[in-house]
Amino acid sequence: MYRSHTCGELRAASIGEDVTLAGWVQKIRNQGFMIWVDLRDRYGVTQLIFDEERTSSDILKEAEGLGREFVIQVKGKVIERVSKNPQMPTGDIEILVSEFNLLNPSLTPPFTIENETDGGEELRMKYRYLDIRRNPVKENLMFRHKVGMQVRNYLSQQGFLEVETPYLIKSTPEGARDFVVPSRMNEGQFYALPQSPQTFKQLLMVGGMDKYFQIVKCFRDEDLRADRQPEFTQIDCEMAFVEQEDILNVFEGLTKHLLKEIKGVETGNFPRMTHAEAMQKYGNDKPDIRFGMEFGELNKLAQGKGFNVFDQQELIIGIAVPGAAGYTRKEIDALIEWVKRPQIGANGLIWAKYNDDGTLKSSVDKFYSQEDLLGWAQTVGAKVGDLILVMGGDTNTTRVQLSALRMYLATRLGLRDPKVFAPLWVVDFPLLEWDEETKRFHAMHHPFTSPKPEDIELLKTEPAKVRANAYDLVLNGNEIGGGSIRIHDKETQAMMFEYLGFTDQEAKEQFGFLMNAFEYGAPPHGGIAFGFDRLVAILGGQETIRDYIAFPKNNAGRDVMIDAPAKLDDAQLKELHLQVKI
Amino acid sequence: MYRSHTCGELRAASIGEDVTLAGWVQKIRNQGFMIWVDLRDRYGVTQLIFDEERTSSDILKEAEGLGREFVIQVKGKVIERVSKNPQMPTGDIEILVSEFNLLNPSLTPPFTIENETDGGEELRMKYRYLDIRRNPVKENLMFRHKVGMQVRNYLSQQGFLEVETPYLIKSTPEGARDFVVPSRMNEGQFYALPQSPQTFKQLLMVGGMDKYFQIVKCFRDEDLRADRQPEFTQIDCEMAFVEQEDILNVFEGLTKHLLKEIKGVETGNFPRMTHAEAMQKYGNDKPDIRFGMEFGELNKLAQGKGFNVFDQQELIIGIAVPGAAGYTRKEIDALIEWVKRPQIGANGLIWAKYNDDGTLKSSVDKFYSQEDLLGWAQTVGAKVGDLILVMGGDTNTTRVQLSALRMYLATRLGLRDPKVFAPLWVVDFPLLEWDEETKRFHAMHHPFTSPKPEDIELLKTEPAKVRANAYDLVLNGNEIGGGSIRIHDKETQAMMFEYLGFTDQEAKEQFGFLMNAFEYGAPPHGGIAFGFDRLVAILGGQETIRDYIAFPKNNAGRDVMIDAPAKLDDAQLKELHLQVKI
């Protein structure tokens, strides 16, 4: 062992002890007659001291040659510091070095290994092994480990079994694109990497395993949006002999446990909201309910008053921005510009200030009386001092646009406190969603999700209105988990495939094994999957997942550190019976 | 919830309670006026009773329609059984059914869902979801979960962090073949699936993470030998600031913990043996030391006595087969035929029986005196009643051949007791091994393994003699773990690559990121990886891994249940810029 103690554990109680430490040089202060070195490892920093009087000249010379990030081993005595540092856990002591061993020198690192570094994203990713030495990244990875252990131990204690499902499976064109893996031994054939273990966990239910979980890598070959990774980690779960209520209770239990054990936050029962209500109140199927600003529907109050723009529109909705009545014309114009940007695509914003004197001043005073505007204020829940913002247009688009504005303003107003945790179940998702591109319905969740029995009749007449036994767990405006009660009989599954545009042949080719399994005593079952990267990031108080992943890929799906993907040599391609065609 | 209790938990104490159970029909006994059904779930079996007197005729009719593996839900009262079954944990009670709900019927399963099934391997794999319902497979998967939890909790308590490393990495021609993954977004380029997280765990050490582990899937595109899987699971571990001794101690600790917690077996300190000694004594780098039958070297005693066959040979070795002096001529001839099979490839066997009267009778009495043969007996450790078997030939081949015979005989003699656990460290592996095909040295472990400093000089003169800081953990004749102290400086790593036949260019292209990392303060480090599938199987008392994997592949690398791999459609290939060339 290269050390007797870590760099994080020595205290005043150890003064007088002989110790051996090893680690990285964090900082050097050379006063000529005296050199202090901060030695760092995973556990902390300990100060080393070398001086003319007490240190041999050989060792002093070695210390003089040190640079940042050199790896050294030292032996020495723990002594009391003359000037203690109460900011450091080891700040009462230092090590008077008597033996010195340079384990490995270092080039000057391309960015500083400090909490706040001077390295940009690109550079940090290229030298990720150096970036990981920085406390924020290191702590994120330690935090991730802790969350993972808590998840596993909790579920295991609840009788869940972690079962590993295969990574080399079969490609199915439904849903996102698969990553595929050519098979050398089966000429011209390919495996696919799983987008999730969905069918396998259902087969485990058919197999009687009854409570399954797995923390597992999944793969999706999507054009990467910001903060998506081609490989990501899921907490994948499934239960048999359960109804939706059971799943919600079990995984609400898990989430409460994590909030309590990891964050020390006690939460009551999670509120529940239907998908329809979430869309109506927040324009969002994953509403952030840490703050209010719920939508008010103003059609009755805003239409038929001579304001043509509103009269023509399907939906008029508004929100109250707390304490923003004092916004200047310029600030409001900037908001209008913000919603008009192509990313949002709104036509504009109508505003009304709820002044301190109880009057309302709006951009549409020509058309609306004080009484009208007071009606608006009441409907959107505005108080004196608030700013009311109103949008109109077709229902779905306008809701999404106002939701974006709501989130933007909440962030600006500091209403999205990362230390506050507001979980929420969104239930009764639609079964199907219309796809403009292919002009047909797609499964909103996946084709194995069961429709609500009372809605099945609607499949023939109003498919868009059929609700599913599907639910999402939302935390602070992020979907951290989603799942459903599955179809478990062959007839319903065959009907679903038909509605989704599969021919019998396609359904059989792609999911024949599952349909067969349903004929041999499949129990009722359902499950949920959590996005582990996102869950960890949100529990950690952040919203970007990248710094909770040890070796993430960039937005082009590249690992810039190892420089992958890369070309294969011809012999390798030939063995795989492949030719590249660009 | 579909049930108030599982099928494994009701006891006499619950008599009189109303309960709801759900599960699969294991067995039906219909006596006309009375029907008993064994209802099974993951937790056990409970007997249901339906009878003319106490059950409504509707329900009785439903019960009459049941078949094996139907899924049902029943409500009823727990009553005392007239004839109790002490073999079943629930054998004191049965459920008098008052409500009945058929959840899903079942076709007749293609094989019986019993501990001993009538289904062959192929059929069981095709219907793996039914196979998993069988107790032996179900229990193996539960056992695997338990071992995994023990490993994680132990290592976590020792300060190890589980860090997920990427699955989409870069192909390197060194070692076994990679599975590759074409990148759609990076035309003509490929990721590779990791054969192990080797370089990433080393980069984590450079990153200061200091104690890493991961239970992780790895991939190798090998021509599959029996009981190999193209995807397999590793317990992957690495530590920084350690020497070989530290690694051995930590992972001996883990293995002891598993043996104790999982098997209730307390073991002393694990013996250690050099690779050279293992080869000399057992002809095997993973000797099974649950039994003796060590090799005796007989060159001095067997050569120069006129037996030409032996005189010409490099090595003469023998073993004592305990209690086998009574083998008939026919039995011995069968052994001779066994070693002559092409799989073993020996020329023959010389035998000597150590008779009860203390005399020796051999197949080469012409050449050897009783005294000579007594010398043999002494050297191979034969006792009265043993059979001595001797082989000669060139050193390496003969050792491997005699090792195969030793294992074969031990199995036959019942000396490989699956309830006995005999762990062993084999250390000081050679750094390099000669590859006849490519006519050059390959890294025996991998190119990152450090040579023993005192042997480095030999690299130039006798490379085959250079020992590495490499070690294997052997359990009952199986390598369950292997690792090494790694190279951590750029110069030694460059030298190794050169010895292994890499050009500078190749080394840089494939491992440039690692060589770069070594320039920024890489600490001394080393690690180990356990084959998790094998470890679980051996702890479970079996040697085949397939039944400890939920969804294994067959020897052609196919998943016969989902029928993968499979052809891709042309559109998918085109998107990937690929063409299949057969």
Side-chain angles (χ1 to χ4, degrees), chain B residues 58 62 181 264 300 318 320 347 367 418 454 461 534 566:
Chain B
D58 286 358
E62 296 249 39
V181 181
K300 278 187 192 157
N347 292 320
F367 306 103
E454 62 268 33
T461 51
R534 175 105 22 228

Side-chain angles (χ1 to χ4, degrees), chain A residues 454-465:
Chain A
E454 62 269 32
D455 288 4
I456 284 189
E457 273 305 301
L458 290 172
L459 264 175
K460 288 166 196 156
T461 52
E462 294 181 278
K465 286 207 173 154

